[in-house]
Amino acid sequence: MQAGAVGLRAYSRGRNDADGEARLAARFRTVGVDRAGTIEHTVSGADAVFATVPAAAAAAAARAAAPALPPGAIYVDPAPSAPERKERLAASLAEGGALYVDAAVLGTVAADGYGVSILAAGPGAAKLERLVRPLGMNVKAVKGPAGRASQVKLVRSVYMKGRDAAILEMLIAARRHGVEDIVIESIGAAAGERVPFSELAQRVMTGLAVHSGRRADELSASVRVLQDVGVQPLVTRACARRLRRMASAGLRGHFGGERPADLSEVLDALQALGEDA
C-alpha cells in the first residue's frame, strides 16, 4: 500500500485453531489487504495475480484460478519449479487468454522485502515489469519462453545453495577441530571475498584453467582432515572430483601453462575439448 498499489486482495487457507486464524486475520488487516474467501473470488477481475504457493501446489493453484482469470490478466508463478513445468502451465493458461509469467525470486524476501529482485520470463513478463516497476517492485523481464527465469535461478542455485552446503560442511569440521573462529576470521579478511561476483568469477575460472589439478590435490587433503573428526566430506569430495575432472581436460597444456585473460576463453576451451569439466 505504501508503494501506491490499490485494490489488493488475497486468498489463504484458514487455520485449524482459533489463535492461528486470529493471527492470520490480523496480518491481513495490518497490511491493508482484503481477504477473499475463494481463489476464484481472489483472481476475478484482477490485473495481476501472484500465485505464491509451494512448487508442489503450483499446478493445482493455476487450475483453480484459470476459469476466473480475465483475458489479458497476468498470472505470476514464482514457485521454484522445473522449466518444463512452467512451459506447460503457460500453455494451459494461454487457452483462456491469461498471460503467464515465470518468476524467479533472486534474493531473500525476509531481507529485501517488497524490493526483492525478481527475474521474469514468458508471455506476460514485459507487461508485469511495466505494471509493477512504478510501485517499487524490482522486476526485470528477460527474453525467452516461460521457464527461462527458473532456468537461470536453478543454475544459479548451484553456486548459491552449493556455497551454503560448503559452508555447512566446513564449519562442522572447524568446530570439531576447535578452529571455527580462526577459519571464519581468515576468510572474512581475505581480499578475494570482498569483490563483485563478476570479478570473482573471472579470478576463479582463469585460475582453474591452470591450477585445477593442484586445487583438487588440496581438497583431497581436506577430505582426510574432515574424516579425522568424523565429518562425512560429501561436498568436499565432490568438489575435488569436479576439479580433477577439469584438470584431466588438459586446459593447462591448452593455455601453455599461462593464465588466460578471460573466463570466456576457459569456457570456450572446455567446449572445444568436448569436456564438461
mmCIF file of all heavy atoms in Angstrom, residues 73-121:
data_model
loop_
_atom_site.group_PDB
_atom_site.id
_atom_site.type_symbol
_atom_site.label_atom_id
_atom_site.label_comp_id
_atom_site.label_asym_id
_atom_site.label_seq_id
_atom_site.Cartn_x
_atom_site.Cartn_y
_atom_site.Cartn_z
ATOM 1 N N ALA A 73 -5.121 -10.947 -18.187
ATOM 2 C CA ALA A 73 -4.579 -10.860 -16.827
ATOM 3 C C ALA A 73 -3.205 -11.515 -16.767
ATOM 4 O O ALA A 73 -2.926 -12.487 -17.477
ATOM 5 C CB ALA A 73 -5.520 -11.543 -15.839
ATOM 6 N N ILE A 74 -2.363 -10.976 -15.911
ATOM 7 C CA ILE A 74 -1.016 -11.529 -15.723
ATOM 8 C C ILE A 74 -1.067 -12.524 -14.573
ATOM 9 O O ILE A 74 -1.523 -12.204 -13.474
ATOM 10 C CB ILE A 74 -0.016 -10.409 -15.400
ATOM 11 C CG1 ILE A 74 -0.038 -9.324 -16.480
ATOM 12 C CG2 ILE A 74 1.391 -10.978 -15.246
ATOM 13 C CD1 ILE A 74 0.691 -8.055 -16.072
ATOM 14 N N TYR A 75 -0.577 -13.724 -14.826
ATOM 15 C CA TYR A 75 -0.531 -14.757 -13.781
ATOM 16 C C TYR A 75 0.936 -15.036 -13.475
ATOM 17 O O TYR A 75 1.670 -15.567 -14.308
ATOM 18 C CB TYR A 75 -1.221 -16.031 -14.252
ATOM 19 C CG TYR A 75 -1.344 -17.097 -13.174
ATOM 20 C CD1 TYR A 75 -2.427 -17.124 -12.304
ATOM 21 C CD2 TYR A 75 -0.354 -18.066 -13.021
ATOM 22 C CE1 TYR A 75 -2.542 -18.090 -11.311
ATOM 23 C CE2 TYR A 75 -0.463 -19.039 -12.035
ATOM 24 C CZ TYR A 75 -1.555 -19.051 -11.185
ATOM 25 O OH TYR A 75 -1.651 -20.002 -10.204
ATOM 26 N N VAL A 76 1.351 -14.640 -12.282
ATOM 27 C CA VAL A 76 2.765 -14.715 -11.909
ATOM 28 C C VAL A 76 2.996 -15.950 -11.037
ATOM 29 O O VAL A 76 2.397 -16.101 -9.977
ATOM 30 C CB VAL A 76 3.204 -13.443 -11.140
ATOM 31 C CG1 VAL A 76 4.705 -13.485 -10.865
ATOM 32 C CG2 VAL A 76 2.829 -12.202 -11.929
ATOM 33 N N ASP A 77 3.901 -16.807 -11.485
ATOM 34 C CA ASP A 77 4.209 -18.052 -10.785
ATOM 35 C C ASP A 77 5.663 -18.020 -10.316
ATOM 36 O O ASP A 77 6.578 -18.296 -11.091
ATOM 37 C CB ASP A 77 3.974 -19.231 -11.719
ATOM 38 C CG ASP A 77 4.341 -20.569 -11.100
ATOM 39 O OD1 ASP A 77 4.591 -20.618 -9.879
ATOM 40 O OD2 ASP A 77 4.406 -21.570 -11.844
ATOM 41 N N PRO A 78 5.904 -17.696 -9.030
ATOM 42 C CA PRO A 78 7.278 -17.635 -8.524
ATOM 43 C C PRO A 78 7.763 -18.954 -7.913
ATOM 44 O O PRO A 78 8.833 -18.992 -7.313
ATOM 45 C CB PRO A 78 7.186 -16.541 -7.456
ATOM 46 C CG PRO A 78 5.795 -16.690 -6.919
ATOM 47 C CD PRO A 78 4.932 -17.175 -8.049
ATOM 48 N N ALA A 79 6.989 -20.027 -8.048
ATOM 49 C CA ALA A 79 7.411 -21.304 -7.469
ATOM 50 C C ALA A 79 8.687 -21.799 -8.145
ATOM 51 O O ALA A 79 8.835 -21.675 -9.365
ATOM 52 C CB ALA A 79 6.305 -22.350 -7.632
ATOM 53 N N PRO A 80 9.626 -22.356 -7.386
ATOM 54 C CA PRO A 80 10.886 -22.857 -7.968
ATOM 55 C C PRO A 80 10.693 -24.214 -8.632
ATOM 56 O O PRO A 80 11.182 -25.245 -8.172
ATOM 57 C CB PRO A 80 11.809 -22.947 -6.744
ATOM 58 C CG PRO A 80 10.877 -23.217 -5.598
ATOM 59 C CD PRO A 80 9.613 -22.469 -5.908
ATOM 60 N N SER A 81 9.945 -24.223 -9.736
ATOM 61 C CA SER A 81 9.651 -25.459 -10.457
ATOM 62 C C SER A 81 10.598 -25.638 -11.634
ATOM 63 O O SER A 81 11.250 -24.686 -12.081
ATOM 64 C CB SER A 81 8.205 -25.436 -10.975
ATOM 65 O OG SER A 81 7.283 -25.227 -9.933
ATOM 66 N N ALA A 82 10.631 -26.857 -12.168
ATOM 67 C CA ALA A 82 11.443 -27.145 -13.347
ATOM 68 C C ALA A 82 10.938 -26.337 -14.541
ATOM 69 O O ALA A 82 9.721 -26.115 -14.671
ATOM 70 C CB ALA A 82 11.398 -28.633 -13.662
ATOM 71 N N PRO A 83 11.816 -25.881 -15.431
ATOM 72 C CA PRO A 83 11.406 -25.062 -16.571
ATOM 73 C C PRO A 83 10.308 -25.692 -17.416
ATOM 74 O O PRO A 83 9.394 -25.006 -17.871
ATOM 75 C CB PRO A 83 12.705 -24.901 -17.369
ATOM 76 C CG PRO A 83 13.772 -24.979 -16.330
ATOM 77 C CD PRO A 83 13.292 -25.997 -15.343
ATOM 78 N N GLU A 84 10.365 -27.020 -17.636
ATOM 79 C CA GLU A 84 9.359 -27.647 -18.479
ATOM 80 C C GLU A 84 7.972 -27.588 -17.845
ATOM 81 O O GLU A 84 6.946 -27.486 -18.544
ATOM 82 C CB GLU A 84 9.722 -29.096 -18.783
ATOM 83 C CG GLU A 84 9.918 -29.997 -17.590
ATOM 84 C CD GLU A 84 11.343 -30.006 -17.055
ATOM 85 O OE1 GLU A 84 12.111 -29.069 -17.389
ATOM 86 O OE2 GLU A 84 11.682 -30.952 -16.319
ATOM 87 N N ARG A 85 7.897 -27.588 -16.513
ATOM 88 C CA ARG A 85 6.598 -27.437 -15.851
ATOM 89 C C ARG A 85 6.041 -26.037 -16.071
ATOM 90 O O ARG A 85 4.839 -25.844 -16.242
ATOM 91 C CB ARG A 85 6.737 -27.718 -14.359
ATOM 92 C CG ARG A 85 7.048 -29.169 -14.023
ATOM 93 C CD ARG A 85 7.059 -29.391 -12.535
ATOM 94 N NE ARG A 85 7.335 -30.776 -12.199
ATOM 95 C CZ ARG A 85 7.408 -31.245 -10.962
ATOM 96 N NH1 ARG A 85 7.220 -30.426 -9.928
ATOM 97 N NH2 ARG A 85 7.662 -32.521 -10.728
ATOM 98 N N LYS A 86 6.914 -25.058 -16.047
ATOM 99 C CA LYS A 86 6.484 -23.679 -16.285
ATOM 100 C C LYS A 86 5.946 -23.519 -17.711
ATOM 101 O O LYS A 86 4.951 -22.830 -17.938
ATOM 102 C CB LYS A 86 7.650 -22.725 -16.052
ATOM 103 C CG LYS A 86 8.232 -22.764 -14.637
ATOM 104 C CD LYS A 86 7.678 -21.658 -13.779
ATOM 105 C CE LYS A 86 8.294 -21.648 -12.404
ATOM 106 N NZ LYS A 86 8.106 -20.398 -11.686
ATOM 107 N N GLU A 87 6.601 -24.158 -18.655
ATOM 108 C CA GLU A 87 6.136 -24.083 -20.040
ATOM 109 C C GLU A 87 4.739 -24.678 -20.176
ATOM 110 O O GLU A 87 3.883 -24.139 -20.889
ATOM 111 C CB GLU A 87 7.110 -24.813 -20.964
ATOM 112 C CG GLU A 87 8.452 -24.138 -21.135
ATOM 113 C CD GLU A 87 9.339 -24.881 -22.127
ATOM 114 O OE1 GLU A 87 9.087 -24.744 -23.346
ATOM 115 O OE2 GLU A 87 10.266 -25.596 -21.699
ATOM 116 N N ARG A 88 4.494 -25.802 -19.506
ATOM 117 C CA ARG A 88 3.179 -26.431 -19.584
ATOM 118 C C ARG A 88 2.096 -25.535 -18.974
ATOM 119 O O ARG A 88 0.993 -25.410 -19.513
ATOM 120 C CB ARG A 88 3.202 -27.800 -18.897
ATOM 121 C CG ARG A 88 3.985 -28.857 -19.658
ATOM 122 C CD ARG A 88 3.669 -30.251 -19.147
ATOM 123 N NE ARG A 88 4.125 -30.460 -17.785
ATOM 124 C CZ ARG A 88 5.318 -30.960 -17.469
ATOM 125 N NH1 ARG A 88 6.181 -31.273 -18.427
ATOM 126 N NH2 ARG A 88 5.655 -31.147 -16.199
ATOM 127 N N LEU A 89 2.397 -24.913 -17.843
ATOM 128 C CA LEU A 89 1.422 -24.019 -17.213
ATOM 129 C C LEU A 89 1.137 -22.805 -18.091
ATOM 130 O O LEU A 89 -0.008 -22.352 -18.188
ATOM 131 C CB LEU A 89 1.921 -23.568 -15.842
ATOM 132 C CG LEU A 89 1.833 -24.595 -14.712
ATOM 133 C CD1 LEU A 89 2.371 -24.012 -13.416
ATOM 134 C CD2 LEU A 89 0.395 -25.060 -14.517
ATOM 135 N N ALA A 90 2.172 -22.290 -18.734
ATOM 136 C CA ALA A 90 1.982 -21.137 -19.625
ATOM 137 C C ALA A 90 1.033 -21.492 -20.761
ATOM 138 O O ALA A 90 0.127 -20.721 -21.109
ATOM 139 C CB ALA A 90 3.328 -20.673 -20.177
ATOM 140 N N ALA A 91 1.230 -22.663 -21.345
ATOM 141 C CA ALA A 91 0.374 -23.097 -22.449
ATOM 142 C C ALA A 91 -1.060 -23.314 -21.977
ATOM 143 O O ALA A 91 -2.022 -22.963 -22.674
ATOM 144 C CB ALA A 91 0.935 -24.385 -23.060
ATOM 145 N N SER A 92 -1.211 -23.881 -20.798
ATOM 146 C CA SER A 92 -2.545 -24.137 -20.261
ATOM 147 C C SER A 92 -3.306 -22.842 -20.005
ATOM 148 O O SER A 92 -4.483 -22.710 -20.386
ATOM 149 C CB SER A 92 -2.425 -24.948 -18.967
ATOM 150 O OG SER A 92 -3.690 -25.129 -18.365
ATOM 151 N N LEU A 93 -2.671 -21.865 -19.380
ATOM 152 C CA LEU A 93 -3.348 -20.603 -19.068
ATOM 153 C C LEU A 93 -3.590 -19.761 -20.314
ATOM 154 O O LEU A 93 -4.534 -18.973 -20.363
ATOM 155 C CB LEU A 93 -2.533 -19.819 -18.048
ATOM 156 C CG LEU A 93 -2.500 -20.417 -16.637
ATOM 157 C CD1 LEU A 93 -1.602 -19.607 -15.728
ATOM 158 C CD2 LEU A 93 -3.902 -20.485 -16.045
ATOM 159 N N ALA A 94 -2.749 -19.938 -21.332
ATOM 160 C CA ALA A 94 -2.935 -19.179 -22.570
ATOM 161 C C ALA A 94 -4.255 -19.534 -23.249
ATOM 162 O O ALA A 94 -4.827 -18.712 -23.986
ATOM 163 C CB ALA A 94 -1.777 -19.432 -23.522
ATOM 164 N N GLU A 95 -4.770 -20.728 -23.009
ATOM 165 C CA GLU A 95 -6.026 -21.142 -23.623
ATOM 166 C C GLU A 95 -7.177 -20.234 -23.196
ATOM 167 O O GLU A 95 -8.131 -20.045 -23.950
ATOM 168 C CB GLU A 95 -6.331 -22.594 -23.249
ATOM 169 C CG GLU A 95 -5.328 -23.593 -23.822
ATOM 170 C CD GLU A 95 -5.603 -25.010 -23.349
ATOM 171 O OE1 GLU A 95 -6.604 -25.219 -22.631
ATOM 172 O OE2 GLU A 95 -4.812 -25.914 -23.703
ATOM 173 N N GLY A 96 -7.094 -19.687 -21.993
ATOM 174 C CA GLY A 96 -8.134 -18.772 -21.526
ATOM 175 C C GLY A 96 -7.779 -17.312 -21.705
ATOM 176 O O GLY A 96 -8.524 -16.431 -21.254
ATOM 177 N N GLY A 97 -6.636 -17.036 -22.320
ATOM 178 C CA GLY A 97 -6.241 -15.658 -22.584
ATOM 179 C C GLY A 97 -5.390 -15.007 -21.510
ATOM 180 O O GLY A 97 -5.063 -13.821 -21.605
ATOM 181 N N ALA A 98 -5.024 -15.744 -20.464
ATOM 182 C CA ALA A 98 -4.170 -15.171 -19.421
ATOM 183 C C ALA A 98 -2.715 -15.166 -19.878
ATOM 184 O O ALA A 98 -2.295 -15.988 -20.696
ATOM 185 C CB ALA A 98 -4.311 -15.970 -18.122
ATOM 186 N N LEU A 99 -1.949 -14.222 -19.351
ATOM 187 C CA LEU A 99 -0.534 -14.082 -19.689
ATOM 188 C C LEU A 99 0.316 -14.613 -18.535
ATOM 189 O O LEU A 99 0.388 -13.995 -17.477
ATOM 190 C CB LEU A 99 -0.198 -12.615 -19.959
ATOM 191 C CG LEU A 99 -0.981 -11.951 -21.095
ATOM 192 C CD1 LEU A 99 -0.654 -10.463 -21.166
ATOM 193 C CD2 LEU A 99 -0.677 -12.635 -22.426
ATOM 194 N N TYR A 100 0.923 -15.741 -18.749
ATOM 195 C CA TYR A 100 1.702 -16.403 -17.699
ATOM 196 C C TYR A 100 3.072 -15.755 -17.563
ATOM 197 O O TYR A 100 3.698 -15.355 -18.557
ATOM 198 C CB TYR A 100 1.859 -17.877 -18.046
ATOM 199 C CG TYR A 100 2.640 -18.698 -17.049
ATOM 200 C CD1 TYR A 100 2.011 -19.303 -15.965
ATOM 201 C CD2 TYR A 100 4.006 -18.888 -17.203
ATOM 202 C CE1 TYR A 100 2.726 -20.072 -15.063
ATOM 203 C CE2 TYR A 100 4.726 -19.654 -16.306
ATOM 204 C CZ TYR A 100 4.085 -20.248 -15.240
ATOM 205 O OH TYR A 100 4.801 -21.006 -14.335
ATOM 206 N N VAL A 101 3.524 -15.653 -16.320
ATOM 207 C CA VAL A 101 4.871 -15.144 -16.045
ATOM 208 C C VAL A 101 5.622 -16.152 -15.180
ATOM 209 O O VAL A 101 5.184 -16.493 -14.076
ATOM 210 C CB VAL A 101 4.839 -13.783 -15.310
ATOM 211 C CG1 VAL A 101 6.261 -13.339 -14.964
ATOM 212 C CG2 VAL A 101 4.154 -12.735 -16.168
ATOM 213 N N ASP A 102 6.707 -16.632 -15.699
ATOM 214 C CA ASP A 102 7.643 -17.451 -14.929
ATOM 215 C C ASP A 102 8.521 -16.481 -14.150
ATOM 216 O O ASP A 102 9.303 -15.740 -14.739
ATOM 217 C CB ASP A 102 8.477 -18.297 -15.901
ATOM 218 C CG ASP A 102 9.734 -18.865 -15.266
ATOM 219 O OD1 ASP A 102 9.726 -19.139 -14.053
ATOM 220 O OD2 ASP A 102 10.730 -19.038 -16.012
ATOM 221 N N ALA A 103 8.346 -16.445 -12.826
ATOM 222 C CA ALA A 103 9.092 -15.501 -11.994
ATOM 223 C C ALA A 103 10.096 -16.241 -11.123
ATOM 224 O O ALA A 103 9.754 -17.249 -10.505
ATOM 225 C CB ALA A 103 8.135 -14.702 -11.119
ATOM 226 N N ALA A 104 11.308 -15.753 -11.096
ATOM 227 C CA ALA A 104 12.353 -16.336 -10.259
ATOM 228 C C ALA A 104 12.801 -15.299 -9.240
ATOM 229 O O ALA A 104 13.294 -14.229 -9.609
ATOM 230 C CB ALA A 104 13.543 -16.780 -11.114
ATOM 231 N N VAL A 105 12.601 -15.598 -7.974
ATOM 232 C CA VAL A 105 13.000 -14.688 -6.900
ATOM 233 C C VAL A 105 14.488 -14.897 -6.635
ATOM 234 O O VAL A 105 14.909 -15.978 -6.233
ATOM 235 C CB VAL A 105 12.173 -14.944 -5.633
ATOM 236 C CG1 VAL A 105 12.607 -14.007 -4.509
ATOM 237 C CG2 VAL A 105 10.687 -14.774 -5.920
ATOM 238 N N LEU A 106 15.274 -13.852 -6.868
ATOM 239 C CA LEU A 106 16.732 -13.965 -6.775
ATOM 240 C C LEU A 106 17.282 -13.297 -5.524
ATOM 241 O O LEU A 106 18.363 -12.731 -5.542
ATOM 242 C CB LEU A 106 17.383 -13.353 -8.021
ATOM 243 C CG LEU A 106 16.947 -13.937 -9.357
ATOM 244 C CD1 LEU A 106 17.720 -13.288 -10.497
ATOM 245 C CD2 LEU A 106 17.126 -15.450 -9.384
ATOM 246 N N GLY A 107 16.546 -13.371 -4.470
ATOM 247 C CA GLY A 107 17.002 -12.789 -3.215
ATOM 248 C C GLY A 107 16.220 -13.393 -2.080
ATOM 249 O O GLY A 107 15.565 -14.421 -2.231
ATOM 250 N N THR A 108 16.282 -12.740 -0.943
ATOM 251 C CA THR A 108 15.580 -13.213 0.243
ATOM 252 C C THR A 108 14.512 -12.214 0.617
ATOM 253 O O THR A 108 14.809 -11.063 0.945
ATOM 254 C CB THR A 108 16.566 -13.383 1.412
ATOM 255 O OG1 THR A 108 17.625 -14.249 1.013
ATOM 256 C CG2 THR A 108 15.868 -13.977 2.625
ATOM 257 N N VAL A 109 13.251 -12.642 0.564
ATOM 258 C CA VAL A 109 12.150 -11.743 0.865
ATOM 259 C C VAL A 109 12.255 -11.226 2.299
ATOM 260 O O VAL A 109 11.969 -10.054 2.572
ATOM 261 C CB VAL A 109 10.800 -12.450 0.645
ATOM 262 C CG1 VAL A 109 9.644 -11.552 1.063
ATOM 263 C CG2 VAL A 109 10.653 -12.858 -0.820
ATOM 264 N N ALA A 110 12.695 -12.084 3.209
ATOM 265 C CA ALA A 110 12.814 -11.662 4.610
ATOM 266 C C ALA A 110 13.784 -10.494 4.758
ATOM 267 O O ALA A 110 13.600 -9.626 5.613
ATOM 268 C CB ALA A 110 13.282 -12.834 5.463
ATOM 269 N N ALA A 111 14.804 -10.450 3.903
ATOM 270 C CA ALA A 111 15.803 -9.379 3.990
ATOM 271 C C ALA A 111 15.461 -8.190 3.096
ATOM 272 O O ALA A 111 15.620 -7.040 3.489
ATOM 273 C CB ALA A 111 17.175 -9.924 3.616
ATOM 274 N N ASP A 112 14.988 -8.473 1.876
ATOM 275 C CA ASP A 112 14.782 -7.416 0.889
ATOM 276 C C ASP A 112 13.348 -6.928 0.794
ATOM 277 O O ASP A 112 13.086 -5.877 0.197
ATOM 278 C CB ASP A 112 15.230 -7.916 -0.491
ATOM 279 C CG ASP A 112 16.694 -8.318 -0.511
ATOM 280 O OD1 ASP A 112 17.478 -7.699 0.229
ATOM 281 O OD2 ASP A 112 17.053 -9.251 -1.247
ATOM 282 N N GLY A 113 12.420 -7.699 1.356
ATOM 283 C CA GLY A 113 11.029 -7.287 1.360
ATOM 284 C C GLY A 113 10.457 -7.056 -0.019
ATOM 285 O O GLY A 113 10.727 -7.795 -0.974
ATOM 286 N N TYR A 114 9.662 -5.991 -0.132
ATOM 287 C CA TYR A 114 8.938 -5.663 -1.358
ATOM 288 C C TYR A 114 9.872 -5.460 -2.549
ATOM 289 O O TYR A 114 9.486 -5.668 -3.705
ATOM 290 C CB TYR A 114 8.132 -4.388 -1.095
ATOM 291 C CG TYR A 114 7.059 -4.075 -2.085
ATOM 292 C CD1 TYR A 114 5.910 -4.852 -2.176
ATOM 293 C CD2 TYR A 114 7.167 -2.966 -2.924
ATOM 294 C CE1 TYR A 114 4.904 -4.549 -3.079
ATOM 295 C CE2 TYR A 114 6.169 -2.647 -3.826
ATOM 296 C CZ TYR A 114 5.039 -3.452 -3.898
ATOM 297 O OH TYR A 114 4.044 -3.142 -4.796
ATOM 298 N N GLY A 115 11.105 -5.050 -2.279
ATOM 299 C CA GLY A 115 12.044 -4.755 -3.355
ATOM 300 C C GLY A 115 12.929 -5.908 -3.753
ATOM 301 O O GLY A 115 13.931 -5.712 -4.454
ATOM 302 N N VAL A 116 12.597 -7.125 -3.350
ATOM 303 C CA VAL A 116 13.433 -8.269 -3.685
ATOM 304 C C VAL A 116 13.551 -8.396 -5.206
ATOM 305 O O VAL A 116 12.614 -8.130 -5.957
ATOM 306 C CB VAL A 116 12.839 -9.569 -3.076
ATOM 307 C CG1 VAL A 116 11.520 -9.951 -3.723
ATOM 308 C CG2 VAL A 116 13.849 -10.704 -3.161
ATOM 309 N N SER A 117 14.708 -8.798 -5.672
ATOM 310 C CA SER A 117 14.960 -8.921 -7.109
ATOM 311 C C SER A 117 14.197 -10.118 -7.686
ATOM 312 O O SER A 117 14.297 -11.232 -7.176
ATOM 313 C CB SER A 117 16.458 -9.088 -7.360
ATOM 314 O OG SER A 117 16.718 -9.259 -8.742
ATOM 315 N N ILE A 118 13.445 -9.865 -8.763
ATOM 316 C CA ILE A 118 12.667 -10.910 -9.427
ATOM 317 C C ILE A 118 12.973 -10.888 -10.921
ATOM 318 O O ILE A 118 12.883 -9.845 -11.573
ATOM 319 C CB ILE A 118 11.151 -10.712 -9.212
ATOM 320 C CG1 ILE A 118 10.814 -10.776 -7.715
ATOM 321 C CG2 ILE A 118 10.350 -11.747 -9.995
ATOM 322 C CD1 ILE A 118 9.358 -10.455 -7.399
ATOM 323 N N LEU A 119 13.345 -12.032 -11.449
ATOM 324 C CA LEU A 119 13.567 -12.190 -12.885
ATOM 325 C C LEU A 119 12.294 -12.776 -13.477
ATOM 326 O O LEU A 119 11.703 -13.706 -12.913
ATOM 327 C CB LEU A 119 14.747 -13.133 -13.114
ATOM 328 C CG LEU A 119 15.449 -13.086 -14.467
ATOM 329 C CD1 LEU A 119 16.115 -11.729 -14.664
ATOM 330 C CD2 LEU A 119 16.500 -14.200 -14.544
ATOM 331 N N ALA A 120 11.842 -12.237 -14.601
ATOM 332 C CA ALA A 120 10.566 -12.664 -15.180
ATOM 333 C C ALA A 120 10.734 -13.038 -16.647
ATOM 334 O O ALA A 120 11.443 -12.361 -17.394
ATOM 335 C CB ALA A 120 9.523 -11.560 -15.044
ATOM 336 N N ALA A 121 10.072 -14.133 -17.039
ATOM 337 C CA ALA A 121 10.104 -14.577 -18.436
ATOM 338 C C ALA A 121 8.723 -15.099 -18.802
ATOM 339 O O ALA A 121 7.901 -15.391 -17.939
ATOM 340 C CB ALA A 121 11.162 -15.656 -18.638
#
